[in-house]
Amino acid sequence: MIRDAIARLCYSSRKETPPELSIEDVATFIESRTLSYPSQLEDDFAARALKLGVESGMVLDVGTHVGLAALKLLWQNENFYSIGLDTSGPMIEHARATAQAWDLGERAMFQVGDPRKMRFKSAYFDIVISDSSIHRFDDAVAVFREIQRVLKPKGALLIRDFRRPNRFRMARHIRELGARFGNAMQRQIESAVRTAYTEAELMQIVHDAQLQRAQTVETDPNYITIERHGETDPGSWIIAREQYR
């Protein structure tokens, strides 16, 4: 009770889930990906995913935005196939175009869908990733439950999202982080940070969703990162395919 009271004193309440991005917002988001900070963030995310113990299989990218996290993963390992899921049609269209431009169209698929009710088989994916997207969903517990359902029992997980700072650091945090993404992204960054979770809130969601073996790890202080290591599935159709090449 005392801890909860201190948390309410130090942290502003989480704002409501932000509205879907406009066409102009999507264009601004895409332009920001050319800057060094967001580009390096994606590179680091993909590199971390490659070290989770799974060497081949199906990847699910929840809230894929324009698909770069999944595509960078596939670019570095030809034994992965991926499906990127996002609620934004314009984001998905750009992700598909980028996959074709990178010559990854045969291994990377993107679709519009609701991550709270995924239309995938249970225990289908070898890795589930999600980069800077959990704050966009109004029922994060439902999203994590679906992740738990579609992920193989020995599958790997990597989730990263913005960290909501305490009320005393909020304004400075938004200003400094926004500058790293470019001035045009300031409004989107502010919305993302104010709708993001604290680490305690996010881990409570993980607990409520019964997402097994997930733990927080320290990476960029502006983000919360949750991961679990996995194992390559020897029965994967992707491994079986390699035997007949």
Side-chain angles (χ1 to χ4, degrees):
M1 296 294 291
I2 295 176
R3 183 181 63 182
D4 292 342
I6 293 174
R8 287 193 296 271
L9 177 65
C10 294
Y11 289 87
S12 303
S13 298
R14 177 179 177 265
K15 300 298 183 183
E16 294 184 1
T17 302
E20 202 65 69
L21 296 179
S22 67
I23 297 296
E24 292 76 15
D25 288 335
V26 173
T28 300
F29 179 91
I30 293 169
E31 180 65 25
S32 74
R33 301 301 98 176
T34 64
L35 299 178
S36 60
Y37 179 71
S39 179
Q40 187 62 53
L41 278 175
E42 290 162 353
D43 290 344
D44 293 345
F45 186 83
R48 193 168 194 97
L50 289 168
K51 297 177 181 178
L52 291 177
V54 176
E55 298 178 354
S56 66
M58 286 297 303
V59 178
L60 173 63
D61 186 5
V62 179
T64 191
H65 295 291
V66 293
L68 292 176
L71 292 174
K72 288 185 175 183
L73 191 60
L74 267 58
W75 184 264
Q76 298 178 68
N77 187 327
E78 63 179 10
N79 294 316
F80 283 126
Y81 286 68
S82 72
I83 298 177
L85 185 70
D86 204 279
T87 58
S88 170
M91 288 280 198
I92 289 298
E93 290 177 7
H94 188 83
R96 289 170 178 164
T98 303
Q100 292 297 327
W102 289 18
D103 200 24
L104 292 172
E106 293 185 356
R107 292 197 287 130
M109 296 159 281
F110 295 97
Q111 64 184 62
V112 177
D114 185 348
R116 300 168 302 178
K117 299 177 181 179
M118 298 190 219
R119 301 177 66 179
F120 302 125
K121 294 180 180 179
S122 297
Y124 183 71
F125 292 95
D126 298 273
I127 301 181
V128 173
I129 63 174
S130 181
D131 189 16
S132 305
S133 291
I134 296 299
H135 69 276
R136 297 168 55 199
F137 309 127
D138 60 9
D139 188 351
V141 173
V143 175
F144 276 86
R145 282 178 179 156
E146 280 292 87
I147 289 174
Q148 169 71 13
R149 181 183 67 81
V150 302
L151 184 59
K152 291 181 179 180
K154 294 185 178 181
L157 173 75
L158 183 61
I159 295 174
R160 180 174 68 184
D161 201 8
F162 293 99
R163 182 188 299 272
R164 190 171 89 252
N166 64 51
R167 66 174 72 245
F168 310 109
R169 295 188 62 251
M170 180 69 76
R172 180 178 178 181
H173 179 84
I174 291 171
R175 185 171 61 254
E176 293 178 349
L177 188 60
R180 297 181 181 183
F181 284 87
N183 291 333
M185 279 287 292
Q186 188 75 31
R187 181 175 57 81
Q188 290 187 47
I189 293 299
E190 178 170 1
S191 177
V193 170
R194 292 189 182 279
T195 56
Y197 297 94
T198 66
E199 183 171 330
E201 291 169 345
L202 197 54
M203 291 312 294
Q204 183 62 50
I205 290 169
V206 169
H207 177 270
D208 293 345
Q210 299 181 346
L211 185 58
Q212 301 171 6
R213 307 195 331 269
Q215 60 183 4
T216 58
V217 293
E218 293 297 327
T219 55
D220 189 306
N222 297 315
Y223 291 82
I224 303 169
T225 301
I226 299 172
E227 71 177 24
R228 93 178 195 194
H229 286 251
E231 299 177 14
T232 302
D233 180 4
S236 169
W237 64 268
I238 295 173
I239 291 179
R241 176 209 59 176
E242 295 300 317
Q243 298 174 1
Y244 298 98
R245 278 193 167 187

